[in-house]
Amino acid sequence: MKAVVLVGGEGTRLRPLTYDLPKPMVPICGKPFMQYQLELMKDHGIDEVIFSLGYKSSAFEEYFGDGAGFGMKIHYIVEDSPLGTAGAIKNVEHLLDDSSFLVFNGDILSRMNLTEIMNFHKEKKSACTIVLTPVDDPTMYGVVELDSNSGIVNFTEKPKKEEVRSNLINAGLYILEPGILKRMEPARKYSIEREIFPAMLADKEPMFGYSYSGYWMDIGTPFKYLSSNHDTLTGKMPVDLNHREGIVYGKNTDISTNAVLTAPLWIGDNVIIKSGAKIEGPAVIDRGCIIGEKTKISGALLWEKTKTGNGCILDSCLIGRDCNLGDNVKIGKLAVIGSCNIIEKDRIIEAETCI
Ligand code: GDD
Ligand code: MG
């Protein structure tokens, strides 16, 4: 089965990090988020993927190439202007055939059992299967109501609070029959959630919801993106990190014997941690970072080649690549520092500030 991955969004809520990298390419424990999705597909026998791209499209091709290095065939289709979540699918029609295909939203970290979902789709003779997950506040999502046979009876994108009648939401994965493409003209903007799903329901097409209750995280905000790194470290997001007592060490690290490291941690290749530094997990110090003497880091995420001075205090913050922090810099919880910033010594950056 082929998979279409929708990755045309600008990732505005993850700015300034997404000024440097598109959201699906931001690292989770040293590896682009999108690689986790591709590995999940590969595990379930999907080896042909079509990326539907817009914003910062070249970052994908530079990293994944033609896919051969990942045991896959990858196509890249770039939109001149955003065609919406359904227009983007119509736009790759020439790469699809007359069989069912998968569509992924490009910002969901999960361990869905794709094989089971594909079997469910076949058994139900479904025209459109939507994977569903329960959430506490469904108003930010597409909300789905089911009948007793898992048939979808209603789909409402981002309903008002008073309209919510279910806590099951669209988890961002569909299996579609190719007939859906007949509902659209080429080169026009369509939303699958607001236009196509409601139209299919009105036409009584067989649509089913597959309920998924495993790990699911939309990585779209600083809190959720940091949480997805923490969850990967703690094992809540079940992937094998090959750690030693909760700490993943890269190659050629230089960690002072006077530094105190508390698991779970991910430390990339060539990281230097100087004397008296304290790193408290869950935290990610990506490749080539240098941590100064007596610097305290707890819960933070540092992208590659960022350097801290001595005596800094970094609380659960997110720092892009190639930043340079002077001595005694303090950065508060969920502050986001974009790549290539220089922060002068003694500066205090309050929680939730973006720079
Ligand atoms: N190629 C392309 N073109 N991709 C697009 C476009 C477009 O015009 N617009 C959005 N996308 C991609 C985004 O990059 C993202 O991967 C995916 O489509 C969904 O768009 P978001 O902007 O992230 O939507 P959302 O998070 O508000 O809501 C969607 O996801 C929820 C689950 O997280 C909806 O599908 C909801 O129904 C769903 O519950
Ligand atoms: Mg999203």
Side-chain angles (χ1 to χ4, degrees), residues 312-324:
C312 296
I313 300 179
L314 312 182
D315 206 353
S316 307
C317 54
L318 301 93
I319 307 183
R321 72 174 168 88
D322 287 299
C323 289
N324 215 322

Side-chain angles (χ1 to χ4, degrees), residues 6-10 13 23 52-54 79 82-85 88 104-108 140-143 155 157-158 169-172 174 189 193 216 218:
L6 301 175
V7 278
E10 290 192 18
R13 291 169 302 164
K23 179 166 62 172
S52 168
L53 305 155
E79 287 160 23
L83 291 170
T85 45
F104 287 82
N105 280 354
D107 56 358
I108 303 299
M140 305 289 292
Y141 300 101
V143 180
F155 185 104
E157 183 65 11
K158 303 195 174 69
I169 61 133
N170 167 13
Y174 322 122
K189 197 168 177 177
E193 300 89 346
W216 185 88
D218 147 14

